[in-house]
Amino acid sequence: MSGIAASAVIHPLAVVEDGAVIGENVKIGPFCHVGPKVTLGDGCELLSHVSVTGLTTIGRNARIFPCAVIGGEPQSIHHEGEETTLSIGDNCTMREGVTMNAGTVGGGGKTVVGNNNLFLANSHVAHDCQLGDHIILSNNVMLAGHVTVEDRAILGGGSAVHQFTRVGRHAFIGGLSAVSYDVIPYGMLNGNPGVLGGLNVVGMTRAGIERSVIHRVRRAFKQIFEGEASARANAAAIREEYLDCPQVIEILDFIAAESDRALSSPFRGKN
């Protein structure tokens, strides 16, 4: 794909700079600005007053609402104007005031957002974040730099995630929560400081996970966080018991992986 597709509809009050790549059936509304190194996939729609800048690639069928700024320079004191990237997958919606920043050289040079994600008004994705698919960031969610959010996680309104933190698949973060430590897959965290209150049973049920499996995951959760040793040691000790349960193994693998942050638990943050 190169240049501006003949089927693209660009409002006369929009600015699309030379060099931008605009796909088939793209709609660009009034007062939008598209930079010279931007690629918009087929079927994208920029409603109005949208800025897409930098070396940014957006997949098919994105909808971007007014006052969103996508691909801006990283908000990092270490950034010295190097050319870094933002890549967004297909079928993502970015509501009013959403901001997403490109990566930093020190963080690998790229911010990556997957497919079928929903970003509600004024949510922020900082430099070097790595996001999977089917994620929801509610209004005013703030992701600091280098955060990883795995598939189908949901972050409630006003929650904030500390830099380098991981949020596991199918995790649920309650509104206004402070996420300072890694949240296991299927975990449910609430509060400030954030406390891991249990499992996202509603999300697991909606994902089609059988009740008997949910009971096994609950049992493993208690073994991990209520055992006599540390959570990591407890997780390693029960692996053989759950080799036939992919959901538990996913949690154990998450805990065993290297991370810059400690692990959220039912006790961390409590007096």
Side-chain angles (χ1 to χ4, degrees):
M1 186 167 63
S2 62
I4 300 176
S7 59
V9 178
I10 301 173
H11 194 281
L13 294 179
V15 175
V16 177
E17 297 196 40
D18 290 343
V21 178
I22 310 298
E24 297 289 346
N25 301 308
V26 168
K27 297 178 181 178
I28 300 177
F31 306 107
C32 292
H33 173 243
V34 178
K37 297 181 180 179
V38 169
T39 298
L40 300 180
D42 296 346
C44 286
E45 181 179 8
L46 283 56
L47 275 73
S48 71
H49 298 84
V50 172
S51 176
V52 186
T53 187
L55 190 53
T56 297
T57 300
I58 301 178
R60 297 172 299 156
N61 302 320
R63 294 194 76 211
I64 309 179
F65 284 70
C67 301
V69 180
I70 309 300
E73 290 190 5
Q75 299 176 72
S76 169
I77 59 173
H78 303 294
H79 181 66
E80 297 182 349
E82 304 95 340
E83 189 169 79
T84 56
T85 67
L86 168 65
S87 175
I88 300 172
D90 297 336
N91 305 313
C92 289
T93 297
M94 289 146 269
R95 293 301 305 252
E96 295 81 358
V98 167
T99 51
M100 294 187 183
N101 295 160
T104 62
V105 170
K110 57 185 179 181
T111 303
V112 178
V113 175
N115 304 311
N116 303 297
N117 296 314
L118 174 60
F119 301 90
L120 298 187
N122 300 307
S123 54
H124 174 65
V125 178
H127 59 85
D128 305 296
C129 285
Q130 307 291 308
L131 275 61
D133 303 332
H134 299 282
I135 291 165
I136 299 175
L137 267 57
S138 300
N139 299 66
N140 302 300
V141 168
M142 297 173 286
L143 303 184
H146 312 276
V147 164
T148 297
V149 183
E150 296 182 353
D151 296 351
R152 298 187 182 277
I154 298 176
L155 283 73
S159 57
V161 184
H162 191 284
Q163 61 186 7
F164 293 101
T165 298
R166 298 178 298 151
V167 178
R169 198 169 71 96
H170 282 289
F172 180 87
I173 308 301
L176 302 177
S177 294
V179 187
S180 299
Y181 305 104
D182 291 348
V183 181
I184 61 169
Y186 310 102
M188 182 170 61
L189 182 138
N190 285 283
N192 183 2
V195 174
L196 189 67
L199 296 174
N200 179 18
V201 174
V202 172
M204 296 174 77
T205 301
R206 288 175 177 171
I209 298 174
E210 295 180 359
R211 181 169 295 275
S212 60
V213 174
I214 294 174
H215 286 319
R216 291 196 73 192
V217 179
R218 275 178 162 165
R219 181 171 182 271
F221 182 94
K222 290 183 178 181
Q223 290 173 297
I224 293 167
F225 293 106
E226 297 179 13
E228 295 182 358
S230 69
R232 295 187 188 277
N234 293 333
I238 67 172
R239 177 175 289 271
E240 293 294 323
E241 182 181 349
Y242 292 98
L243 290 176
D244 62 337
C245 185
Q247 292 80 10
V248 174
I249 294 300
E250 182 179 357
I251 293 171
L252 301 184
D253 288 344
F254 182 93
I255 293 172
E258 292 186 8
S259 177
D260 292 290
R261 304 298 297 165
L263 197 65
S264 294
S265 80
F267 312 107
R268 188 182 297 277
K270 290 186 175 181
N271 293 328

